[in-house]
Amino acid sequence: MMGVVPGAVHPRGERLAGPLFAAIGIVALAVCTIWAAGDHVSSVTLVVAGLSAAWLLLLVPLFPRRAQHPWLAVGFFAGLLTGAAALTTLDTTYTAFASIGYPIAFVLFAARWSIFAVTATAVVPLLAKGIWGTDTPTPAWVFVASVVGPMLYAAWFVGAENDKRRRANAALAEANARLETALEENAGLHAQLLTQAREAGVHDERQRMAREIHDTLAQGLTGIVTQLQAADRASSAESRQRHLTQVHTLAKDSLTEARRAVQALRPEPLTDSRLPEALAELARRVRDTSGVAVTAETSGEPVPLLPELEVTLYRVAQEALANAEKHARASRIAVSLTYAGDVVLLDVRDDGAGFDPASPARGDGTGFGLQAMRQRVRRVAGTFALESAPGEGTAVNVQLPAIPADR
């Protein structure tokens, strides 16, 4: 009951509660007056009863506004108790009417204040009767109505509140169950998205390797075969040697391309090192070869990630450092790797020349590198952000799901 707000009445009964309680009070008042009339009720008693009945009618307009105007509710209840106390001193029969204060107290005030109203209902009429009342005995039915009636109403009220709480708890439990189901479904969808992203990445990587082989190894081997055939048909030793020299050059170039394509699958620094160490080594190498002040920091608890994720982060950092070193003419570059629970963050910031990201792609290769970074991040269900402006440097931000590597 302590959580009840003023007027603990179902919304559908809000309009009827005021008239209902006013009618109950008037009926109780009428019954007591009729009973008291058998003992030749005085005119003063009738006047007070009439004023009390009129006062009860004020409950009709007041009831819907009791929460917004609590002091009006207090004033109404004080007037009701005054009338009940006056009638009780005039005739003990009206003790039954005074009991109407119990249910009205419960519905008119918040729970913590209704306790005071109930106490006043029990005490004020008794005090008035003891001080100013007569010694006439109280009828048995009046005693029963004054005691049993409020007890029954209180029991009904408590039961209704308990039912309301049970329904609220059941609704909350159902909502929690739906939330857990939704979270499980979201987790499943996220896992499915990552699986699709990995499959798409594998497919794209296969296509890239096919293009690499077609554009480099296949053409190189074709050239070697062509030169060997030409050497067999050569009419002089000088011509034959020239074709064999071309074969040697093509073979060396093809070997270089083959090694480059294999290294592109997984960077060599990641083969024997964890990602933070690999990024630190990358920063050191760029610093030593370019003279640019490059720093690499790691925060959070490093965990081994899926190879696709670590390769993506390393390649993005590699491309961002290359752009900052070659094109931005930066003097300072900062690489930051952050492990933050379910995500891992990579930030590469420089103080270089900067550029307008909305401008058309430039011819220095920066545009192609940025597009390659975006594609790599998108393949593993990550987000890529670029911040730059002319003269204000460049910041590359990458966020990927921190999926641990399979043990």
Side-chain angles (χ1 to χ4, degrees), residues 17-59:
L20 176 61
F21 282 101
I24 293 174
I26 293 174
V27 169
L29 184 61
V31 170
C32 291
T33 302
I34 294 172
W35 186 272
D39 295 330
H40 305 288
V41 63
S42 66
S43 58
V44 176
T45 303
L46 293 177
V47 171
V48 176
L51 292 175
S52 298
W55 189 261
L56 279 168
L57 293 176
L58 296 177
L59 186 60

Side-chain angles (χ1 to χ4, degrees), residues 23-396:
I24 293 174
I26 293 174
V27 169
L29 184 61
V31 170
C32 291
T33 302
I34 294 172
W35 186 272
D39 295 330
H40 305 288
V41 63
S42 66
S43 58
V44 176
T45 303
L46 293 177
V47 171
V48 176
L51 292 175
S52 298
W55 189 261
L56 279 168
L57 293 176
L58 296 177
L59 186 60
V60 177
L62 171 64
F63 194 83
R65 300 175 178 84
R66 63 197 182 283
Q68 293 78 15
H69 305 285
W71 288 110
L72 291 180
V74 172
F76 168 81
F77 197 78
L80 178 64
L81 285 185
T82 301
L87 289 171
T88 302
T89 59
L90 294 171
D91 194 311
T92 57
T93 304
Y94 287 97
T95 304
F97 165 70
S99 300
I100 192 64
Y102 294 114
I104 292 180
F106 281 120
V107 298
L108 197 60
F109 301 105
R112 59 181 178 274
W113 299 115
S114 65
I115 301 301
F116 295 97
V118 167
T119 304
T121 301
V123 173
V124 171
L126 291 178
L127 288 177
K129 180 181 177 183
I131 297 173
W132 297 292
T134 62
D135 295 332
T136 56
T138 303
W141 74 268
V142 172
F143 178 78
V144 173
S146 302
V147 176
V148 177
M151 291 180 60
L152 292 176
Y153 180 81
W156 171 85
F157 188 86
V158 172
E161 289 302 309
N162 288 336
D163 289 341
K164 186 186 299 183
R165 284 191 176 87
R166 282 195 296 269
R167 289 194 296 268
N169 291 336
L172 180 60
E174 184 179 354
N176 288 335
R178 289 198 299 266
L179 178 60
E180 292 178 359
T181 301
L183 291 176
E184 293 176 357
E185 291 178 354
N186 288 340
L189 291 175
H190 184 65
Q192 183 180 359
L193 177 62
L194 291 177
T195 300
Q196 293 175 350
R198 292 178 60 184
E199 292 175 352
V202 171
H203 177 71
D204 292 343
E205 192 65 19
R206 288 174 177 172
Q207 291 184 332
R208 186 192 67 80
M209 287 298 298
R211 291 193 298 269
E212 290 281 345
I213 293 174
H214 176 270
D215 295 339
T216 57
L217 298 181
Q219 292 183 7
L221 292 175
T222 300
I224 290 173
V225 171
T226 301
Q227 293 298 323
L228 288 174
Q229 291 175 345
D232 290 339
R233 295 193 300 268
S235 57
S236 64
E238 181 180 357
S239 177
R240 179 183 178 83
Q241 185 60 39
R242 185 175 67 255
H243 290 300
L244 291 177
T245 301
Q246 289 291 331
V247 169
H248 180 268
T249 301
L250 288 172
K252 184 171 63 174
D253 292 343
S254 298
L255 179 61
T256 300
E257 290 296 333
R259 288 172 176 172
R260 185 189 63 81
V262 171
Q263 290 175 352
L265 292 177
R266 182 168 177 85
E268 187 273 335
L270 289 177
T271 303
D272 301 319
S273 302
R274 300 177 66 181
L275 180 60
E277 289 78 7
L279 291 179
E281 175 61 22
L282 175 63
R284 184 198 63 77
R285 188 165 62 250
V286 173
R287 183 172 60 249
D288 293 343
T289 57
S290 66
V292 179
V294 184
T295 60
E297 296 181 354
T298 299
S299 59
E301 183 64 27
V303 294
L305 304 175
L306 286 178
E308 296 93 328
L309 301 177
E310 292 195 343
V311 169
T312 297
L313 292 170
Y314 185 85
R315 289 304 188 195
V316 169
Q318 191 177 42
E319 181 65 29
L321 286 172
N323 289 341
E325 174 192 357
K326 298 177 182 178
H327 309 305
R329 301 182 300 279
S331 61
R332 292 191 303 273
I333 309 174
V335 180
S336 175
L337 180 66
T338 304
Y339 292 87
D342 295 336
V343 297
V344 59
L345 309 172
L346 174 68
D347 297 303
V348 182
R349 299 177 180 271
D350 67 67
D351 63 350
F355 63 98
D356 182 4
S359 63
R362 299 177 294 175
D364 57 7
T366 304
F368 178 80
L370 293 176
Q371 183 64 23
M373 286 191 285
R374 287 193 181 92
Q375 290 177 350
R376 282 186 178 276
V377 173
R378 190 182 303 118
R379 288 170 186 168
V380 290
T383 58
F384 177 90
L386 175 69
E387 300 176 5
S388 185
E392 298 183 7
T394 302
V396 173

